[in-house]
Amino acid sequence: MGRLAGDLTRMARVAAVAAAMFVMPIIATGLPGMGGQAHAEATRITEIVVQGNQRIESGTVRTYMLLMPGMEYDPEVADASLKQLFATGLFADVSMHLDGTRVIVSVVENPIINRVAFEGNSAINEDDLRQEVQLQPRTVYTRAKVQSDVTRIVELYRRGGRFAATVEPKIIQLPQNRVDLVFEISEGPKTKIASINFIGNKQFSDSRLREVISTSESAWWKFLSSSDSYDPDRLTYDRELLRRFYLQRGYADFRVVSAVADLRRDDSAFHITFTVDEGEIYKFGDVTVTTELDKLNKEELEAMLLPKPGDIYNAGLIDKTLDDLTYAAGTSGYAFAEVRPRVRRRTDEKVIDLTFQITEGPRVYVERINITGNSRTLDKVIRRQMRMSEGDAFNKVLLDRSEKNIRALGYFAKVDVTQDPGSEADKTVINVDVQEQSTGSLSLSAGFSTLDNAVAGVQLSERNFLGRGLQLSTSVSISKRRQLIDFRYTDPYFLDRNLVGGFDLFGSETNYQNESSFNSRSQGAGLRFGFPLSDKSRFLARYQFRFDEIFDVDATASNVVKAAEGKKYRSIIGYDYYYDNRNDPVDPTGGWDFLFTQNFAGAGGNVRYISNELLARYYYQLSESFLTSWRLDGGYVHGLGQDVPLADHFFKGGNTIRGFSRGGVGPRDLASPNRDAVGALAYVFGTAELSFPNGLPDALGVRTSVFVDGGYIGMADYDTTIYPGVVDDFAPRASVGLSLYWQSPFGPIRLDFAHVLLEEPYDEKEAFRFSAGTSF
């Protein structure tokens, strides 16, 4: 056994040596299946070779990689490098492999876009589509960006009410790895509103609520309107309109439960359903105002409270009272005043008690004013309308006035002024977002009126020249009665100050044969200079030198007209004073404005007189649908050492007092066969007008009103011993009537139907007046 054990021991030692000799080479070279990894871990990169690149430099490709020469090759780092190269968007394909100690990177570059085109679009112009897409000429083409642009275009059409629109991108291959990208668009018809229904409404019918919202059901006559196209943003706005409607009628608990738009299977139309919860009607209970501010008179504040105890609850009256109280506090020197309505609801009695609490709020200053949306108009044109600057104390009254001033420019279709918190608690940021609209026009006009018959003209105007707010206008108009050529230049901020400067050149020829048996010609030039006197008033001074001529006097004309035949030179100095206290400069529903004009002729020339004219207007809204307006016109001209020439008399009628023809009221020479009007030295006329709903859809753009016109005209200075046929009775005239105004697709159309109540036997009446025109 000992010998056997020794033999086994010697055999084990030999086997161990043999195994060691066999295993060591394997360990040195790596196990089968793991030789590449072990080799890579020991491989140090000597070079990175880029293949397949055409436009992009090899060095640029290497900068995107994490692998670099001198590093040990790591598969995880190589994978991260591949991902980074793909993420650049420059390559359609990338591969990478190890060749000895070199890393080979093979790339396929994405093509460069040569041109982006749109086909099949008509509802949206090409410029708007180009602004919407990301891909532009000379940018890198990628499928992801194309799909993103397709989505953006489709969304643009959906916002315009075309939910059936489809977009198909097409690629046209070009040499040098370039492509043309064509978006083939199938717009489809507008997705209309088939029906609008309401659920839960008991106090107001479906038809009444349809009048409240801005969305409307489709109808054949709404081809000019977009309100019958589905728009999700408009639907959100409709929810707010319904809420305001009910809150203004006492339903303090009203809410819109849901607003659902169901699209037909053929994508042709939507069915919209509003589910509402009306609640109960509330009334105002106790309405009071409290304040500890010394300068505010509580009695005066109480007189401003529009909600009255016992009246039906109306949220609109609360909002209006808040504005009035805030304005009153601001004008009294409390720029930081806060007005908060405290509401106490007595549910059992269906009564709401209301307390307006006025306190001195924390001082807030304007940190920054951001202006956006003005791609053409210079920032300074908008900033100079702001009544606050960076660093000023914030004032809500001045902010509202600033917004009103910007809207009054007429350069923008939309103006939104909002506030954001500043970098600190006592700072605020004012954001002014505008949407520019066309301010220049080259228009040809054509129309007809009972006064001028056929009218044609051409006008070139720009109200915001070079985006600097400069105003240029030149026009030529021709009608059977009048020919006019006119050029005007106005700088509303002359010398970059709050001054108005400008000049005029003009020439006209007018046919007065029907009224007074003569023609008139006028040519001249003028200068204008003005400045504001306050936030609401301004002063404008003028100088004008004018050449006037009365010619083609009929042989049977009045002796007054024959005596006036010939040429006159007028050198006129004048001024305008204007005060505007309206709540809106574009579409006023409240407030008043006043204009006084005075001219002095005699600083040269051969005519001497002084004339005065005034115009005052007042607006008051009775309700949402009823608006009253009042107007007063007056004038007086007085000769200085000489009689006032015929051309400087007042010839009234037509639009001044409806129901009478132009020149149809006032002094007249009954001795002449044509019963020529010879003008008046004084007049005063007033108008009261009530605009009311006519039952027609708002989309048609038809407005109606009833009016009463009346006044006096006369005081001619003609010697009746020389002109015995002249009659002049400073007697009252009056008329009533109906006006229709239609903003038609062919231009504005106005119809006036009038019935004369008071007249003189020699007045010339005109029961119907029609005017229309268009621009194209």
Side-chain angles (χ1 to χ4, degrees):
M1 290 295 291
R3 184 178 179 180
L4 178 60
D7 290 339
L8 291 174
T9 300
R10 285 193 296 268
M11 291 177 62
R13 290 175 179 174
V14 171
V17 171
M21 293 175 64
F22 177 77
V23 171
M24 288 303 292
I26 295 178
I27 295 176
T29 57
L31 293 173
M34 298 184 63
Q37 180 179 352
H39 179 74
E41 290 174 352
T43 301
R44 191 168 297 276
I45 301 170
T46 60
E47 185 181 5
I48 297 178
V49 180
V50 180
Q51 299 176 346
N53 55 316
Q54 300 177 19
R55 301 184 315 274
I56 304 171
E57 296 291 337
S58 297
T60 303
V61 177
R62 295 188 189 101
T63 60
Y64 292 115
M65 299 176 59
L66 300 178
L67 290 174
M68 291 184 294
M71 294 177 55
E72 291 186 355
Y73 184 85
D74 186 337
E76 293 184 1
V77 178
D79 184 61
S81 297
L82 280 175
K83 292 179 179 178
Q84 286 211 165
L85 289 172
F86 273 113
T88 63
L90 298 173
F91 309 107
D93 190 22
V94 182
S95 63
M96 188 183 303
H97 68 277
L98 185 65
D99 181 13
T101 59
R102 300 190 309 163
V103 175
I104 308 299
V105 181
S106 299
V107 299
V108 178
E109 294 178 348
N110 275 323
I112 291 293
I113 295 177
N114 177 65
R115 182 173 65 97
V116 178
F118 304 89
E119 295 181 356
N121 58 302
S122 59
I124 301 178
N125 63 52
E126 193 165 308
D127 290 340
D128 291 339
L129 290 172
R130 289 190 186 281
Q131 293 178 6
E132 194 70 22
V133 299
Q134 302 177 65
L135 290 173
Q136 301 292 336
R138 296 181 296 280
T139 60
V140 178
Y141 167 88
T142 66
R143 292 181 181 178
K145 288 184 178 179
V146 170
Q147 291 304 317
S148 175
D149 284 346
V150 167
T151 302
R152 293 163 72 94
I153 295 173
V154 170
E155 181 61 27
L156 187 63
Y157 273 99
R158 290 196 169 201
R159 290 203 302 266
R162 296 179 184 270
F163 279 75
T166 59
V167 180
E168 184 71 24
K170 299 291 185 182
I171 301 299
I172 302 175
Q173 298 289 343
L174 299 174
Q176 300 177 350
N177 199 23
R178 295 177 300 122
V179 295
D180 283 346
L181 175 61
V182 180
F183 292 99
E184 293 184 353
I185 301 172
S186 175
E187 295 182 326
K190 274 196 172 185
T191 309
K192 300 296 184 179
I193 307 297
S195 65
I196 300 176
N197 302 303
F198 296 86
I199 298 175
N201 53 312
K202 301 176 182 178
Q203 303 300 324
F204 299 97
S205 65
D206 283 16
S207 59
R208 179 66 183 98
L209 295 181
R210 291 189 194 104
E211 295 176 358
V212 174
I213 61 178
S214 59
T215 305
S216 62
E217 295 179 344
S218 299
W220 66 268
W221 44 264
K222 294 182 181 177
F223 62 94
L224 298 174
S225 172
S226 61
S227 64
D228 61 339
S229 299
Y230 174 70
D231 184 344
D233 294 334
R234 187 185 294 127
L235 204 63
T236 302
Y237 178 58
D238 289 338
R239 295 172 67 115
E240 177 62 18
L241 290 178
L242 287 170
R243 190 184 73 86
R244 292 181 187 176
F245 175 79
Y246 273 92
L247 290 181
Q248 290 175 357
R249 287 158 179 79
Y251 296 90
D253 294 331
F254 172 82
R255 64 191 183 98
V256 178
V257 178
S258 65
V260 179
D262 294 320
L263 183 62
R264 284 179 178 173
R265 292 184 178 180
D266 59 359
D267 294 342
S268 62
F270 278 94
H271 296 276
I272 296 178
T273 303
F274 291 93
T275 303
V276 301
D277 181 6
E278 292 181 328
E280 301 290 336
I281 291 183
Y282 282 74
K283 292 185 178 181
F284 285 118
D286 297 330
V287 182
T288 58
V289 59
T290 62
T291 181
E292 296 179 355
L293 303 181
D294 297 336
K295 297 180 181 179
L296 298 182
N297 186 306
K298 187 174 181 180
E299 293 181 357
E300 294 179 356
L301 296 176
E302 289 176 345
M304 301 173 65
L305 300 180
L306 298 179
K308 304 298 180 184
D311 289 351
I312 298 296
Y313 175 82
N314 186 335
L317 296 180
I318 298 176
D319 294 338
K320 182 66 169 59
T321 302
L322 284 174
D323 291 340
D324 292 345
L325 293 176
T326 302
Y327 184 83
T331 54
S332 297
Y334 295 102
F336 306 100
E338 290 185 352
V339 183
R340 297 179 180 178
R342 304 297 185 184
V343 175
R344 188 170 69 89
R345 187 174 307 209
R346 288 184 270 164
T347 307
D348 295 340
E349 303 175 52
K350 298 297 183 288
V351 170
I352 293 179
D353 296 328
L354 191 61
T355 300
F356 293 94
Q357 187 177 46
I358 305 177
T359 59
E360 179 72 23
R363 292 183 175 271
V364 178
Y365 297 89
V366 178
E367 179 179 11
R368 191 172 63 255
I369 298 177
N370 298 325
I371 299 176
T372 57
N374 56 319
S375 58
R376 178 169 175 267
T377 305
L378 300 182
D379 269 18
K380 71 175 185 178
V381 174
I382 301 174
R383 286 184 180 275
R384 65 196 185 193
Q385 300 301 324
M386 298 293 296
R387 291 296 170 260
M388 290 181 291
S389 301
E390 283 88 346
D392 288 352
F394 176 78
N395 189 313
K396 182 64 167 60
V397 175
L398 296 180
L399 185 66
D400 293 342
R401 192 173 298 165
S402 299
E403 181 175 2
K404 189 180 297 185
N405 291 345
I406 297 172
R407 292 184 65 246
L409 290 174
Y411 304 159
F412 310 109
K414 184 179 179 182
V415 178
D416 287 327
V417 179
T418 58
Q419 291 176 250
D420 285 335
S423 59
E424 299 178 16
D426 62 343
K427 294 181 180 179
T428 185
V429 175
I430 298 176
N431 301 306
V432 181
D433 184 41
V434 298
Q435 180 182 334
E436 292 190 309
Q437 63 183 359
S438 175
T439 57
S441 65
L442 171 61
S443 63
L444 304 176
S445 59
F448 176 83
S449 72
T450 52
L451 175 62
D452 294 328
N453 295 325
V455 181
V458 57
Q459 181 180 41
L460 174 64
S461 65
E462 173 55 67
R463 294 181 290 112
N464 188 16
F465 184 61
L466 300 178
R468 299 177 178 272
L470 303 176
Q471 301 169 12
L472 295 176
S473 172
T474 181
S475 61
V476 177
S477 64
I478 300 173
S479 69
K480 181 178 179 181
R481 181 177 178 271
R482 192 182 192 200
Q483 298 81 47
L484 169 69
I485 182 169
D486 180 87
F487 176 81
R488 296 176 181 269
Y489 168 83
T490 304
D491 184 350
Y493 272 77
F494 185 58
L495 301 177
D496 279 333
R497 297 180 180 273
N498 199 4
L499 305 172
V500 176
F503 66 89
D504 308 324
L505 299 172
F506 59 88
S508 66
E509 188 171 310
T510 308
N511 185 325
Y512 291 101
Q513 295 292 338
N514 289 337
E515 299 96 334
S516 303
S517 303
F518 70 88
N519 290 345
S520 173
R521 182 182 294 121
S522 180
Q523 301 170 357
L527 298 173
R528 290 172 281 113
F529 178 78
F531 51 88
L533 298 176
S534 69
D535 288 336
K536 296 184 178 182
S537 63
R538 65 176 183 263
F539 178 87
L540 179 69
R542 301 181 312 276
Y543 173 76
Q544 186 181 91
F545 186 83
R546 201 174 74 211
F547 158 78
D548 295 310
E549 181 181 10
I550 290 179
F551 64 101
D552 283 350
V553 175
D554 191 272
T556 62
S558 164
N559 289 332
V560 173
V561 176
K562 291 179 179 179
E565 186 175 12
K567 302 177 181 179
K568 298 284 187 183
Y569 298 91
R570 291 167 171 80
S571 178
I572 303 172
I573 298 174
Y575 69 88
D576 296 338
Y577 171 77
Y578 180 63
Y579 190 93
D580 188 356
N581 194 41
R582 296 174 296 173
N583 63 351
D584 191 292
V586 179
D587 190 16
T589 57
W592 56 274
D593 63 347
F594 173 83
L595 172 65
F596 178 74
T597 299
Q598 189 170 60
N599 290 314
F600 167 73
N606 53 12
V607 174
R608 292 176 175 81
Y609 66 80
I610 184 169
S611 69
N612 309 275
E613 290 188 83
L614 65 86
L615 166 66
R617 294 174 296 189
Y618 176 76
Y619 303 89
Y620 182 75
Q621 190 171 28
L622 299 176
S623 66
E624 291 183 20
S625 303
F626 292 85
L627 174 67
T628 62
S629 60
W630 307 75
R631 176 185 174 116
L632 178 66
D633 286 283
Y636 176 71
V637 58
H638 175 69
L640 300 175
Q642 60 179 233
D643 292 337
V644 178
L646 177 66
D648 298 299
H649 283 64
F650 297 116
F651 292 82
K652 296 297 180 179
N655 291 328
T656 309
I657 177 167
R658 287 161 286 191
F660 298 90
S661 61
R662 189 188 184 282
V665 292
R668 187 174 297 277
D669 190 350
L670 302 183
S672 61
N674 192 40
R675 296 161 60 96
D676 292 332
V678 293
L681 297 181
Y683 73 93
V684 57
F685 289 109
T687 294
E689 193 157 356
L690 171 66
S691 299
F692 60 92
N694 50 34
L696 297 175
D698 293 338
L700 289 180
V702 179
R703 300 201 307 265
T704 55
S705 63
V706 291
F707 62 85
V708 177
D709 291 345
Y712 292 79
I713 184 170
M715 297 179 63
D717 57 351
Y718 300 112
D719 190 340
T720 55
T721 60
I722 302 176
Y723 308 110
V726 173
V727 293
D728 175 23
D729 297 301
F730 198 70
R733 274 86 165 178
S735 64
V736 296
L738 172 71
S739 284
L740 299 176
Y741 179 84
W742 179 32
Q743 187 62 46
S744 76
F746 318 105
I749 293 177
R750 185 182 181 93
L751 305 176
D752 290 317
F753 302 88
H755 174 71
V756 174
L757 299 178
L758 296 174
E759 61 178 305
E760 291 300 305
Y762 50 83
D763 290 337
E764 294 187 359
K765 296 185 291 185
E766 182 182 70
F768 170 71
R769 177 174 286 267
F770 165 81
S771 61
T774 188
S775 296
F776 48 89

